[in-house]
Amino acid sequence: VTEAPNLDETHDPARRSFVEAANLTDAAFPIQNLPLAVFSTEADPNPRIGVAIGDQVFDLKKVSKENERFAQPIRFALRETSLNSLFSLGRVALREVRRIAADLLDQGRSGNQVRRHALDLLTPMDSCAYHLPTKVGNYTDFYAGIYHARAAGALLTPENPLPANYKWVPIAYHGRASSVQVGQGAVRRPLGQRPPAAPATPPSFGPCERLDFELEMGFYLAGGNPLGKPIPIAKASQEIVGFTLLNDWSARDIQRWEMYPHGPFLSKSFATSVAPWVVTADALAPFRVPALTRPEGDPRPLDYLFDAADQAHGGLDVHLQVQLATAQMRAANEPAVEILTSNAKYLYWTPAQMVAHHTINGCNLQAGDLIGTGTISGPSPGELSSMLEFTSAGSTPVALPNGEQRGFLQDGDEVAFHGGCSRQGYATIGFGSCVGRIEAADVSSVGRAV
Amino acid sequence: VTEAPNLDETHDPARRSFVEAANLTDAAFPIQNLPLAVFSTEADPNPRIGVAIGDQVFDLKKVSKENERFAQPIRFALRETSLNSLFSLGRVALREVRRIAADLLDQGRSGNQVRRHALDLLTPMDSCAYHLPTKVGNYTDFYAGIYHARAAGALLTPENPLPANYKWVPIAYHGRASSVQVGQGAVRRPLGQRPPAAPATPPSFGPCERLDFELEMGFYLAGGNPLGKPIPIAKASQEIVGFTLLNDWSARDIQRWEMYPHGPFLSKSFATSVAPWVVTADALAPFRVPALTRPEGDPRPLDYLFDAADQAHGGLDVHLQVQLATAQMRAANEPAVEILTSNAKYLYWTPAQMVAHHTINGCNLQAGDLIGTGTISGPSPGELSSMLEFTSAGSTPVALPNGEQRGFLQDGDEVAFHGGCSRQGYATIGFGSCVGRIEAADVSSVGRAV
């Protein structure tokens, strides 16, 4: 692990919070993390901005009203019902918010005022509802996981598993922004056209029969760039304010039939889930790693994608895990089972490279935009990060402890992503979870399935 | 031409406006049209909603304040700086606005109050600035022009010009919403990766060398549907509030290299232009035609895409024209030259089919969303609606009257789309124009071109 820049007292592992749960070993939300979310409570259903601390949510809207340490533009942004305004103030503002919040929650430093109002400012995490962190103006999904591209390509186009452009172009497509949702609820199985059984025969129509997840990370953007002005690679990481877990739900049968030549459309746009929490880029500073080492023979990135600092610590060491709980498992009170793990360090392109590429044509990014990395598979069989890959398109189903098998997802299946970072000498930080439970397709409003 | 429904007194060709220019033969903006725009003036730079009448813009924000005929929800929507709120009220509200505006502008019916304030309520069209009609939450681009798909396919994949799914699936991709702009200004030539000269050699990097336009129509959506609830084909046309001209600017070299397997991305996202005016679905009622007759042997659309009324008058008879003016032509005061014409009736899928398909998986459409039809080429050589097609990818350049030639667009070229409808017994209506002038690429902010 290369030493990343910007390590400061907010990363000091000795700091403790007066919220005791934040000080437990391996707590996901210690005082060194402080990820942001938009939350509400039964008592106050207005969505507002908070940070996670231990097992509590700390209400930044309320505390910023009473605290003069927050500069006025930040105070205004913290009154909003989404994080767009705060993100538009850029990483400097986010750093300030995290620093002040850490002081207010610090066991040794927090003033009487905060502690006196703690009951009012803190709400148990489990009793909050979460809202989409930003109004997502645009959502873009990359394809930067080379192990995924190779595994998926081997199934779809075995003669040419990795596209010829792969090692030059950070491939991406525009996703659907309106159907991005917080990963905590139901995901309805989509209807659509499924591939013909044989060439030159009609497709069939009905509920997707090959419903899948894709394990990705997402990141949110700061102020962005005006139309026509690329963001140079050396400045790109400053435009990334925070990271999250992202599930790029995929309907494989619909996808196979629809995607030539213009890419995935309905096979993705029924739902994309993100975790409620945005882990700030600053909190992740200790967990930056070198960009994936390119094997001998791979080309050097073109100039607009190459930056020495980005190569040195543009990567992310985030451990990722996928759990599955079927309806039958839940009925029997059996715990969810881990079906795979992976790590964000396997991405072929860094987030900064994605931003530089996205804007090289002048495309304007905007505060609150969401970018997905693409599915993050790893080199081992247990690190194939979609059902498509690790069941070889359903042909080698996963055996679950209760005897059930899964080639693709069934109705009632609940998929949970978890993520976290740990490193000797630093506090462990977590991303929370990104969860979705599959609901049966709704065939009531359209013509009959065939 | 099949008789379309909903013809009423607003389509009566005998009606005349007190704005004289609206009564000229073949006026684009007679009292029977009244398209919507968001405009501002030098005297009042606040963007506001207006309708076109003759050579004037009629300020709906101002007039609705003083006029009790506008219901309160409409009056609130007309105070906004975009059309999203008005569109969210649906086609019934749009119909009401058009009916009232027509009465207010009618030579015989308008009251003294409007005429007395006419100078305040009307502004010469040429002296207005135009803004994007809606805040585009999501932009989707279809591929519904079968003559385009066949012509483009023949160049890119001659062995298989029309994809196997084409006659079953209304193919589309998510476009970039943030770079949709009003078609009246500059379009900067994008930088990007251009295809390798030979397989297994590096791509080159620099300004796009094959810059193109695509002649499309766009349409805007009403309130839309909640996530998970498809819009049935029989209700789909009610979700379409208005139509416009759309230029899907395309960087062909970047596109060819980047688009496999996830479709076009940077080759499109640098700019998409729409005309300032939104011609309401109601104004277009007399110009609806049957869906394109499918040749013998083509499949019947699947149930969720089939509706008898849509087949009978879901098509659009809109004449389209593309003009080109080079920098040299403008310097010599030579007029723009028509390089091609086409017609929206050539679309293989109707707008209602596009909406039904878009939502069949539960994807939620939202008020103000923009959908492009795809390039509308026709069956004749003079109706190939992109440079790619009508110059056979640059190999047979267009000869211009001044001796210049064009395979693709050069810096300084100005491309103007025009559109209009005419039919015996009805007033002609126009769409205005959608214009863009190519600016040289800006290489200042990135690494050197190679």
Side-chain angles (χ1 to χ4, degrees):
Chain A
V1 176
T2 307
E3 191 65 28
N6 297 323
L7 293 183
D8 59 29
E9 60 167 12
T10 65
H11 304 104
D12 177 357
R15 291 183 74 172
R16 296 169 67 86
S17 173
F18 66 81
V19 178
E20 279 303 330
N23 306 321
L24 299 172
T25 309
D26 297 336
F29 304 120
I31 197 166
Q32 293 82 2
N33 191 354
L34 304 179
L36 294 150
V38 176
F39 76 105
S40 61
T41 54
E42 211 166 293
D44 179 359
N46 296 305
R48 53 202 188 274
I49 296 169
V51 293
I53 180 73
D55 53 359
Q56 306 287 313
V57 181
F58 185 54
D59 189 328
L60 286 184
K61 181 182 173 184
K62 273 189 190 161
V63 80
S64 66
K65 277 187 190 162
E66 302 162 359
N67 197 297
E68 291 178 357
R69 285 187 65 187
F70 292 97
Q72 201 175 56
I74 291 176
R75 216 177 307 163
F76 283 146
L78 290 174
R79 285 181 200 166
E80 300 283 329
T81 57
S82 77
L83 287 159
N84 296 63
S85 294
L86 184 63
F87 287 177
S88 76
L89 300 176
R91 278 191 62 178
V92 173
L94 270 281
R95 190 168 301 146
E96 196 60 14
V97 168
R98 183 164 165 275
R99 184 186 310 273
I100 298 170
D103 283 354
L104 295 173
L105 292 163
D106 190 293
Q107 195 169 45
R109 300 190 196 179
S110 81
N112 284 335
Q113 202 187 14
V114 166
R115 295 223 191 180
R116 203 180 313 127
H117 293 102
L119 271 180
D120 188 40
L121 295 173
L122 293 165
T123 309
M125 208 170 261
D126 290 347
S127 67
C128 295
Y130 298 93
H131 307 267
L132 205 54
T134 65
K135 288 189 189 100
V136 179
N138 284 271
Y139 159 52
T140 303
D141 198 22
F142 276 81
Y143 193 52
I146 190 168
Y147 294 103
H148 165 71
R150 212 178 260 132
L155 291 164
L156 294 167
T157 50
E159 70 287 0
N160 184 24
L162 206 60
N165 55 6
Y166 193 86
K167 292 175 177 177
W168 298 99
V169 179
I171 296 170
Y173 65 95
H174 303 294
R176 178 79 191 178
S178 70
S179 54
V180 176
Q181 58 184 66
V182 176
Q184 52 180 11
V187 171
R188 192 174 289 287
R189 181 180 298 273
L191 300 169
Q193 294 188 33
R194 301 165 307 204
T201 63
S204 65
F205 173 80
C208 164
E209 292 172 340
R210 298 186 153 223
L211 190 56
D212 202 354
F213 61 81
E214 290 194 344
L215 173 63
E216 304 194 10
M217 293 199 66
F219 53 93
Y220 293 94
L221 297 174
N225 57 313
L227 187 65
K229 286 284 173 200
I231 297 173
I233 178 79
K235 295 182 178 169
S237 70
Q238 286 305 309
E239 295 298 326
I240 301 170
V241 287
F243 292 82
T244 190
L245 306 171
L246 186 148
N247 188 337
D248 174 27
W249 302 97
S250 298
R252 299 298 179 193
D253 40 2
I254 296 171
Q255 184 178 1
R256 203 181 107 214
W257 175 233
E258 77 170 357
M259 83 181 277
Y260 181 81
H262 282 175
F265 179 54
L266 300 186
S267 54
K268 305 278 192 174
S269 63
F270 60 97
T272 301
S273 301
V274 288
W277 300 106
V278 182
V279 176
T280 63
D282 286 308
L284 282 171
F287 311 102
R288 303 308 293 250
V289 289
L292 190 72
T293 305
R294 297 188 163 208
E296 188 84 29
D298 277 15
R300 179 182 182 279
L302 292 180
D303 281 358
Y304 79 94
L305 296 172
F306 185 88
D307 176 67
D310 184 52
Q311 293 295 308
H313 34 245
L316 284 163
D317 183 11
V318 182
H319 179 78
L320 302 165
Q321 183 205 39
V322 179
Q323 291 183 327
L324 177 67
T326 69
Q328 192 179 313
M329 287 165 67
R330 287 196 307 277
N333 277 319
E334 289 161 11
V337 59
E338 174 185 296
I339 55 172
L340 65 89
T341 62
S342 189
N343 192 302
K345 70 186 178 190
Y346 295 134
L347 290 167
Y348 193 77
W349 300 101
T350 67
Q353 287 175 318
M354 297 181 212
V355 167
H357 183 67
H358 203 319
T359 62
I360 188 62
N361 70 342
C363 180
N364 52 332
L365 304 182
Q366 296 175 327
D369 280 357
L370 175 65
I371 293 183
T373 57
T375 309
I376 308 175
S377 294
S380 348
E383 295 173 319
L384 295 170
S385 295
S386 66
M387 303 287 280
L388 177 79
E389 294 160 77
F390 75 74
T391 71
S392 298
S395 64
T396 56
V398 181
L400 301 175
N402 68 353
E404 288 185 281
Q405 291 200 329
R406 284 295 180 274
F408 287 97
L409 298 173
Q410 300 293 319
D411 294 342
D413 285 357
E414 187 171 283
V415 178
F417 292 177
H418 304 278
C421 302
S422 60
R423 178 182 168 195
Q424 187 68 37
Y426 289 91
T428 294
I429 69 173
F431 283 74
S433 61
C434 177
V435 184
R437 187 181 295 187
I438 308 302
E439 279 191 343
D442 175 5
V443 295
S444 64
S445 56
V446 291
R448 65 182 186 282
V450 293
Chain B
V1 177
T2 309
E3 191 64 31
N6 298 322
L7 293 183
D8 59 29
E9 62 167 11
T10 64
H11 303 104
D12 177 357
R15 291 184 74 172
R16 296 170 67 85
S17 172
F18 65 82
V19 177
E20 279 304 330
N23 306 321
L24 299 173
T25 309
D26 298 336
F29 304 120
I31 196 166
Q32 293 82 2
N33 191 354
L34 303 180
L36 294 150
V38 176
F39 76 106
S40 61
T41 54
E42 212 166 293
D44 180 359
N46 296 305
R48 53 203 189 272
I49 297 168
V51 293
I53 180 73
D55 53 359
Q56 306 286 314
V57 181
F58 185 54
D59 189 328
L60 286 184
K61 180 182 175 184
K62 274 190 190 160
V63 80
S64 67
K65 276 187 191 162
E66 302 161 359
N67 196 297
E68 291 178 358
R69 285 186 65 188
F70 292 97
Q72 200 176 58
I74 291 177
R75 215 177 307 164
F76 284 145
L78 290 174
R79 285 181 200 166
E80 301 283 329
T81 57
S82 77
L83 287 159
N84 296 62
S85 294
L86 184 62
F87 287 176
S88 76
L89 299 176
R91 279 192 61 178
V92 173
L94 270 282
R95 190 169 301 146
E96 197 59 16
V97 168
R98 183 163 165 275
R99 184 187 309 275
I100 298 170
D103 283 354
L104 295 173
L105 292 163
D106 190 293
Q107 195 168 46
R109 299 189 196 180
S110 81
N112 283 335
Q113 200 185 14
V114 167
R115 296 224 192 179
R116 203 180 312 127
H117 294 102
L119 271 180
D120 188 40
L121 296 172
L122 293 165
T123 309
M125 206 170 264
D126 291 346
S127 66
C128 294
Y130 299 93
H131 307 267
L132 204 53
T134 66
K135 289 190 188 98
V136 179
N138 284 269
Y139 159 53
T140 302
D141 198 22
F142 276 82
Y143 193 53
I146 190 169
Y147 295 102
H148 165 71
R150 213 178 260 131
L155 291 165
L156 294 168
T157 50
E159 70 288 0
N160 184 23
L162 207 60
N165 55 6
Y166 193 88
K167 292 176 176 177
W168 297 99
V169 178
I171 297 170
Y173 66 95
H174 304 294
R176 178 79 192 178
S178 70
S179 54
V180 176
Q181 59 184 66
V182 176
Q184 53 181 11
V187 171
R188 191 173 290 286
R189 180 180 299 273
L191 300 169
Q193 294 189 33
R194 301 165 306 203
T201 62
S204 65
F205 174 81
C208 165
E209 293 172 341
R210 297 185 153 224
L211 190 56
D212 202 354
F213 59 82
E214 290 196 344
L215 173 63
E216 304 194 11
M217 293 199 65
F219 54 94
Y220 294 94
L221 297 173
N225 58 311
L227 188 64
K229 286 284 173 197
I231 297 173
I233 177 79
K235 295 182 178 168
S237 69
Q238 286 305 308
E239 294 298 327
I240 301 170
V241 287
F243 292 83
T244 191
L245 306 171
L246 185 148
N247 189 338
D248 174 27
W249 302 97
S250 298
R252 298 300 180 193
D253 40 2
I254 297 170
Q255 184 178 1
R256 203 181 108 217
W257 175 232
E258 76 171 357
M259 83 180 278
Y260 182 82
H262 282 174
F265 179 53
L266 299 186
S267 53
K268 304 279 192 174
S269 63
F270 59 98
T272 300
S273 300
V274 289
W277 300 106
V278 182
V279 176
T280 64
D282 286 308
L284 283 171
F287 310 103
R288 303 309 293 249
V289 290
L292 189 72
T293 305
R294 296 187 165 210
E296 189 86 29
D298 276 15
R300 179 182 181 280
L302 292 180
D303 281 358
Y304 79 94
L305 296 171
F306 185 88
D307 175 67
D310 185 52
Q311 292 295 309
H313 33 246
L316 284 163
D317 183 11
V318 181
H319 181 78
L320 301 165
Q321 184 205 40
V322 179
Q323 290 183 328
L324 177 67
T326 69
Q328 192 178 312
M329 287 164 68
R330 287 195 308 277
N333 276 320
E334 288 161 11
V337 59
E338 173 184 297
I339 55 172
L340 65 91
T341 63
S342 189
N343 192 300
K345 70 187 178 188
Y346 296 134
L347 291 167
Y348 193 76
W349 301 101
T350 67
Q353 287 175 316
M354 296 181 213
V355 167
H357 182 67
H358 203 318
T359 62
I360 188 62
N361 69 342
C363 179
N364 51 331
L365 304 182
Q366 296 175 327
D369 281 357
L370 175 65
I371 293 183
T373 58
T375 309
I376 308 175
S377 293
S380 347
E383 295 174 320
L384 294 171
S385 296
S386 65
M387 303 287 279
L388 177 78
E389 295 160 76
F390 75 76
T391 71
S392 297
S395 64
T396 57
V398 182
L400 301 174
N402 69 352
E404 288 185 282
Q405 291 200 328
R406 284 293 181 276
F408 288 98
L409 298 173
Q410 299 293 321
D411 293 343
D413 285 358
E414 186 171 282
V415 178
F417 293 177
H418 303 278
C421 303
S422 60
R423 178 182 168 194
Q424 187 67 40
Y426 289 90
T428 294
I429 68 173
F431 284 74
S433 61
C434 178
V435 184
R437 188 180 294 186
I438 307 302
E439 279 192 344
D442 175 5
V443 295
S444 63
S445 56
V446 291
R448 65 180 188 282
V450 292

